[in-house]
Amino acid sequence: MNVKAYYQKSQELERTLTEPFVVIVSHDTPDGGKKGLLTEVPKRLAARMVADGRAYLATAEAAHEFREKTAAKKRGAEELLLTHVPALEPRKSTRPAKA
């Protein structure tokens, strides 16, 4: 593998990416990577993964849909965290009070 060519390809791709975070789609890899998983990553990591052949850039439509689904899941999780759970009433002591 020509390391210089690898880094040049990675840097060129990074320069073409305009957004700080990019949605990529994974390829099937021999080390356990699953095909078709969408992930949002920093543009430098996206460039490296594309140069490695581990992923490719998602289409604008797929990226938009992925971000909408992620935002909806986050809103749903926040709603669950904000639900009020009433506090239990304190138990009354059965011991006699100290004098």
Side-chain angles (χ1 to χ4, degrees), residues 67-86:
R67 288 181 174 132
E68 281 185 351
K69 285 181 182 179
T70 304
K73 287 179 183 179
K74 186 175 180 181
R75 282 191 300 273
E78 287 172 351
E79 288 175 13
L80 286 176
L81 291 175
L82 296 177
T83 56
H84 176 67
V85 178

Side-chain angles (χ1 to χ4, degrees), residues 37-96:
L37 295 178
L38 278 79
T39 309
E40 189 171 23
V41 296
K43 68 180 183 177
R44 175 169 284 168
L45 180 59
R48 281 190 204 160
M49 292 186 75
V50 170
D52 284 343
R54 293 177 179 234
Y56 60 94
L57 298 175
T59 63
E61 296 161 359
H64 180 71
E65 185 178 321
F66 173 76
R67 288 181 174 132
E68 281 185 351
K69 285 181 182 179
T70 304
K73 287 179 183 179
K74 186 175 180 181
R75 282 191 300 273
E78 287 172 351
E79 288 175 13
L80 286 176
L81 291 175
L82 296 177
T83 56
H84 176 67
V85 178
L88 297 174
E89 291 184 26
R91 289 191 251 160
K92 294 181 181 176
S93 178
T94 55
R95 287 195 234 170

